[in-house]
Amino acid sequence: MERKLVQAVASTIRHFRKLAEISQEALADKADLDRTYISGIERGVRNITLDSLEPIITALNVDVQTFFSKVSEEFNELSH
């Protein structure tokens, strides 16, 4: 199983985190999650839940439409 969507979400979170110039630890603190969970998500080894995704998007200060637009872009890149 390729898990392209998991990889696209992981890449998108990493993209916006780096754009915000914050560490995984800072993102975890803002989203009230564990840093190792954020690390696992970004590496594509953790299957993120919507309950965890929402506070991450909020902590990244990105609107949902922008976030999922980037996910779609990343997904398409992985599909080629």
Side-chain angles (χ1 to χ4, degrees), residues 9 11 18 28 30 32 34 45 54 57 59 63 73 76-77:
V9 169
S11 180
K18 289 186 175 194
K30 286 183 168 193
D32 197 28
D34 191 86
V45 298
E54 187 172 358
I57 293 171
D63 65 74
E73 181 183 306
N76 289 333
E77 288 284 324

Side-chain angles (χ1 to χ4, degrees), residues 2-79:
E2 291 186 56
R3 298 176 48 134
K4 289 180 192 170
L5 184 56
V6 171
Q7 292 174 356
V9 169
S11 180
T12 299
I13 291 171
R14 186 171 38 258
H15 167 80
F16 284 116
R17 180 180 60 77
K18 289 186 175 194
L19 197 62
E21 298 180 338
I22 60 174
S23 66
Q24 288 179 345
E25 187 170 356
L27 176 57
D29 286 345
K30 286 183 168 193
D32 197 28
L33 297 167
D34 191 86
R35 188 208 54 82
T36 59
Y37 184 66
I38 297 293
S39 174
I41 290 168
E42 286 192 3
R43 289 181 289 121
V45 298
R46 297 293 302 258
N47 191 7
I48 190 170
T49 66
L50 293 177
D51 285 338
S52 296
L53 183 58
E54 187 172 358
I56 289 171
I57 293 171
T58 300
L60 291 169
N61 201 27
V62 176
D63 65 74
V64 172
Q65 183 177 1
T66 301
F67 183 85
F68 282 107
S69 177
K70 181 67 174 169
V71 169
S72 178
E73 181 183 306
E74 294 290 334
F75 185 85
N76 289 333
E77 288 284 324
L78 291 168
S79 296

